[in-house]
């Protein structure tokens, strides 16, 4: 019977009340933190530089684990801006390309902007001479499929749409066989840090050397263009377009990621470097 129990001392009752208050507070705090980790912060932990440990530290307010510098958001529409694949059919088209037919297509369709021998008539258009055939074919495919829409796409898309796959391979192989502009990189007058960016990259920003993909050795992935000898205005336009994601037909977002980290002056100086200067006799 309740009346048979001895009364609880007032001091003990006060301790019990405090214990209940603290235990209830601890339970609600645990639930609140768990919800915050599980539904709000951990889903963000795939952001660069934000590990699960950092998420936990940030959630409980440990200094040094704030959000820090924000990274550019990636629109899902930008993730894949090209549908070109280097399968057997595509490689066979290039391997069996007809240079004479390619020359005719170049004369009929391309020469008005890019010249019959691949030297553009306007610095806002790219030089095509001696570019790797896969690089040229990739761009034609991207224009035709609507995956490259920036710059001179208004001119290029209808021209590419009018070409059959083998015609594109033929004209790509033809321009790849032409002599490139006889130029060397413009090292003089270009800041040393720009030359280092070309040859060594910038590990602090995870930027690889430009020449590791775009150098004359053509050691980059299939479809990578050589930059030496392009006009500075064209190169600067393209770097800016990649940086702003206006152009998004680079596979795996390589160029968008790199260009976004470059300053406008770096883009300009890189364009000057790769535009080059005429090669001296005997050099």
């Amino acid at each position: 019977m309740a009346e048979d129990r001895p009364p609880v001392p007032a001091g003990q009752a006060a301790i019990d009340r405090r214990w209940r208050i603290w235990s209830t507070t601890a339970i609600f705090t645990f639930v609140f933190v768990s919800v915050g980790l599980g539904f709000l912060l951990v889903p963000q932990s795939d952001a660069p530089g934000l590990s699960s440990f950092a998420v936990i530290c940030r959630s409980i307010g440990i200094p040094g684990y704030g959000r820090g510098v924000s990274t550019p958001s990636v629109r899902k529409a930008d993730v894949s801006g090209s549908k070109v694949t280097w399968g057997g059919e595509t490689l066979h088209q290039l391997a069996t390309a007809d240079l004479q037919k390619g020359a005719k297509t170049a004369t009929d369709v391309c020469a008005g902007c890019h010249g019959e021998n691949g030297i553009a008539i306007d610095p806002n258009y790219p030089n095509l001479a001696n570019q790797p055939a896969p690089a040229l074919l990739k761009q034609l495919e991207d224009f035709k499929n609507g995956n490259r829409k920036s710059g001179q796409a208004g001119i290029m898309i209808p021209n590419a749409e009018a070409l059959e796959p083998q015609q594109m391979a033929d004209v790509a192989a033809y321009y790849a066989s032409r002599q490139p502009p006889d130029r060397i990189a413009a090292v003089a007058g270009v800041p040393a840090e720009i030359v280092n960016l070309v040859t060594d990259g910038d590990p602090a920003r995870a930027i690889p050397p430009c020449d590791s993909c775009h150098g004359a050795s053509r050691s980059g992935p299939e479809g990578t263009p050589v930059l030496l000898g392009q006009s500075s205005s064209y190169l600067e336009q393209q770097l800016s377009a990649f940086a702003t994601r206006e152009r998004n037909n680079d596979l795996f977002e390589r160029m968008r990621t790199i260009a976004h980290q470059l300053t406008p002056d770096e883009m300009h100086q890189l364009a000057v470097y790769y535009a080059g200067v005429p090669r001296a006799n005997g050099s």
Side-chain angles (χ1 to χ4, degrees):
M1 300 294 291
E3 55 269 17
D4 295 333
R5 295 176 184 171
V8 178
Q12 183 63 45
I15 292 174
D16 288 346
R17 282 196 300 274
R18 286 197 298 270
W19 183 87
R20 285 195 295 272
I21 291 171
W22 280 108
S23 62
T24 302
T25 302
I27 291 171
F28 276 104
T29 300
F30 176 79
V31 171
F32 177 79
V33 171
S34 298
V35 170
L37 285 173
F39 294 96
L40 300 178
L41 296 179
V42 170
Q44 301 177 32
S45 64
D46 59 348
L50 192 59
S51 64
S52 298
F53 177 75
V55 168
I56 295 171
C57 292
R58 194 179 78 188
S59 69
I60 60 179
I62 295 179
Y65 287 92
R67 286 187 179 274
V69 179
S70 62
T71 55
S73 61
V74 177
R75 298 188 298 273
K76 287 189 177 180
D78 287 342
V79 171
S80 178
S82 181
K83 297 179 182 177
V84 177
T85 57
W86 300 107
E89 182 179 352
T90 303
L91 295 175
H92 178 72
Q93 287 171 351
L94 288 172
T96 58
D98 188 316
L99 297 188
Q100 289 186 335
K101 291 181 179 179
K104 185 178 188 310
T105 300
T107 300
D108 295 343
V109 181
C110 313
C113 294
H114 300 288
E116 288 194 22
N117 289 310
I119 307 301
I121 64 171
D122 185 298
N124 292 313
Y125 303 143
N127 294 322
L128 306 184
N130 205 232
Q131 284 294 325
L136 298 176
L137 180 59
K138 178 189 183 303
Q139 299 309 315
L140 284 169
E141 289 275 9
D142 285 345
F143 280 124
K144 182 170 185 173
N145 293 327
N147 293 309
R148 182 173 172 181
K149 300 177 181 178
S150 62
Q152 306 297 332
I155 299 172
M156 283 299 305
I157 288 175
N159 286 326
E161 288 176 339
L163 299 177
E164 296 296 327
Q166 190 60 54
Q167 285 181 299
M168 290 193 288
D170 291 344
V171 75
Y174 167 74
Y175 274 127
S177 71
R178 301 298 89 190
Q179 280 295 110
D182 193 20
R183 303 176 80 80
I184 58 174
V187 177
V190 173
E193 55 267 27
I194 296 298
V195 179
N196 290 337
L197 199 58
V198 168
T199 58
D200 303 323
D202 185 350
R205 290 184 286 173
I207 297 178
C210 304
D211 268 355
S212 64
C213 288
H214 296 285
S217 64
R218 301 180 179 178
S219 57
E222 201 79 62
T224 303
V226 173
L227 302 185
L228 182 61
Q230 291 292 1
S231 75
S232 59
S233 60
Y234 176 76
L235 290 173
E236 193 168 357
Q237 285 173 16
Q238 299 311 305
L239 283 171
S240 178
F242 278 126
T244 61
R245 297 180 175 272
E246 178 187 356
R247 177 175 173 181
N248 69 339
N249 71 317
D250 53 326
L251 294 173
F252 309 114
E253 299 188 74
R254 293 185 185 101
M255 281 307 306
R256 280 170 282 176
T257 301
I258 293 170
H260 184 80
Q261 300 182 77
L262 298 175
T263 67
D265 184 62
E266 285 175 326
M267 294 183 201
H268 175 72
Q269 295 293 349
L270 283 169
V272 170
Y273 173 92
Y274 276 116
V277 294
R279 187 186 301 273
N281 292 334
S283 64

